[in-house]
Amino acid sequence: MAAQTPSFMAGVPELLVLRLLARREMYGYELARLIRLVTREAISLGENVLYPALHSLEARGLLHARRRTVGGRSRVYYGITGAGRRRLRDLTRQWQRISGGVATALAGTGP
Amino acid sequence: MNDARLEALTERLLRAGVAPRHARRAVQELRAHHADVVAELRAAGIPPAQSEALAAERVGPDEAFVRDMLARPELRSWASRRPFVAFTLLPLLAFIALSALCVGSLIAVLEAARHWRAWLSPALIEGARGLGAALFVAAMWLAPLAAAAVACLLAARQRIAARWVIAGVFLVGLLRAMINGSFDVPTSLHGSVSMGIGWAPHRLPETAVRAAILIAPVLLPYLWWLRSHRVLTVRPRH
């Protein structure tokens, strides 16, 4: 089982959700499966807390939601908005800076 | 996930002030998610009872879901954050606006009919007079009833504390009771429409009866609904 996500990882679920939805529209279950897959279960996202996160991103205008019927089942598909793409760029830059700093510290190549 | 559990979950979110569209949809999505996880596990050959247990573990406890929904202020409805404005002041303003709209339309209809009367048939003139009379009734009765009823419906939908909407309905009823009006327009279209607001101690019984006629048909069903849904309680603070 994956370890619980520590607090300094706050913001990572948002980054992951925006990154994955930037590729294509998805519904919650599909997204949860993909998060497990792409992070190789390294990040434990309680699957039920994915929905508050999706609704929050939608309320902030970073995602849009629309109901679609696929295979006879009605699903709510989420997609990224223009504001969401801008937020994704900012978060990606921040994360790259942090991960780069941590990598440097761990390698011991800093001052 | 059974219906009672989902209903209880939705109720908790609504009473905590989560906007109905977010509360209802998130719970529906959670239910679909749980069903998808069970189906995935069953397809992998896991027995039904074990699939249910594993799905419940993977989806997580209701408590975490509710906590996470409530931790996000952007999911709260505007009305739940400002119940006094939404359910006490707005119904009053809505009543005034609706009445003004009806009176404006009434004047426009009668003025137009008077202006074009030479070209209108008697039936059309009578129709215009009838429309004017209907708009007068709408301004005096339908507007306050609609404003109060919509406030009650929205408050019920959002599980807003009852005191705000009850105060709003009383204010609408009292204001309406203090308005006096008359529609006296014969088929010649040369008559008068009057409306005024005022209150006198000797007319207290008449004012009270008029207020009760307006308040009762809206408030009684609302109070019955509150009682049947056991929401006559003060909302807990979060």
Side-chain angles (χ1 to χ4, degrees), chain B residues 174-180 195-201 203 207 210:
Chain B
L174 283 177
L175 179 66
R176 164 61 190 94
M178 289 193 295
I179 294 175
N180 293 299
M195 231 178 202
I197 186 163
W199 181 78
R203 297 186 72 179
T207 307
R210 212 188 277 170

Side-chain angles (χ1 to χ4, degrees), chain A residues 9-62:
Chain A
M9 296 283 277
V12 172
E14 183 181 336
L15 173 63
L16 277 175
V17 166
L18 290 174
R19 179 72 191 93
L20 295 175
L21 290 177
R23 297 182 194 171
R24 65 182 170 91
E25 289 189 352
M26 274 180 262
Y27 58 94
Y29 171 73
E30 213 181 351
L31 189 59
R33 278 193 74 177
L34 202 53
I35 289 173
R36 289 162 69 95
L37 195 71
V38 297
T39 65
R40 294 187 207 113
E41 301 199 26
I43 293 173
S44 166
L45 251 189
E47 292 188 14
N48 61 1
V49 302
L50 180 64
Y51 293 99
L54 287 169
H55 281 248
S56 167
L57 291 170
E58 183 198 353
R60 288 158 55 200
L62 305 178

Side-chain angles (χ1 to χ4, degrees), chain B:
Chain B
M1 290 182 101
N2 61 41
D3 287 348
R5 183 177 155 198
L6 294 168
E7 214 171 290
L9 207 50
T10 310
E11 200 63 34
R12 279 180 72 183
L13 296 177
L14 289 174
R15 289 191 195 196
V18 175
R21 72 187 180 98
H22 285 301
R24 296 207 165 92
R25 205 183 77 207
V27 171
Q28 281 171 7
E29 286 176 292
L30 197 59
R31 168 192 239 169
H33 191 109
H34 181 269
D36 282 334
V37 176
V38 170
E40 178 195 321
L41 296 171
R42 295 278 307 274
I46 297 170
Q50 207 184 338
S51 295
E52 283 287 343
L54 286 172
E57 193 183 311
R58 220 170 93 180
V59 170
D62 290 352
E63 211 50 54
F65 173 72
V66 171
R67 200 176 45 238
D68 223 56
M69 287 291 281
L70 300 189
R72 299 169 188 273
E74 62 275 19
L75 300 184
R76 306 278 177 102
S77 71
W78 176 87
S80 77
R81 279 179 276 150
R82 296 169 188 82
F84 172 71
V85 175
F87 295 100
T88 308
L89 286 184
L90 271 184
L92 201 61
L93 295 176
F95 162 43
I96 294 167
L98 279 173
S99 287
L101 187 70
C102 290
V103 170
S105 307
L106 183 164
I107 292 168
V109 166
L110 292 181
E111 282 300 318
R114 203 149 43 198
H115 187 76
W116 301 104
R117 64 173 302 150
W119 290 275
L120 296 178
S121 68
L124 276 177
I125 291 172
E126 182 52 35
R129 201 196 75 85
L131 182 58
L135 286 167
F136 180 77
V137 172
M140 294 293 279
W141 291 102
L142 289 185
L145 277 171
V150 168
C152 287
L153 279 174
L154 293 178
R157 185 171 175 261
Q158 299 194 30
R159 311 298 192 269
I160 297 291
R163 59 183 178 276
W164 304 113
V165 72
I166 290 173
V169 171
F170 267 98
L171 285 177
V172 169
L174 283 177
L175 179 66
R176 164 61 190 94
M178 289 193 295
I179 294 175
N180 293 299
S182 70
F183 181 85
D184 182 22
V185 180
T187 43
S188 65
L189 297 180
H190 286 285
S192 68
V193 179
S194 70
M195 231 178 202
I197 186 163
W199 181 78
H202 70 277
R203 297 186 72 179
L204 183 62
E206 188 190 329
T207 307
V209 167
R210 212 188 277 170
I213 288 172
L214 191 118
I215 292 168
V218 175
L219 215 48
L220 290 180
Y222 177 63
L223 292 174
W224 174 83
W225 183 90
L226 288 178
R227 199 180 147 80
S228 62
H229 283 74
R230 298 173 190 279
V231 288
L232 272 173
T233 50
V234 176
R235 184 200 300 280
R237 287 180 185 278
H238 291 282

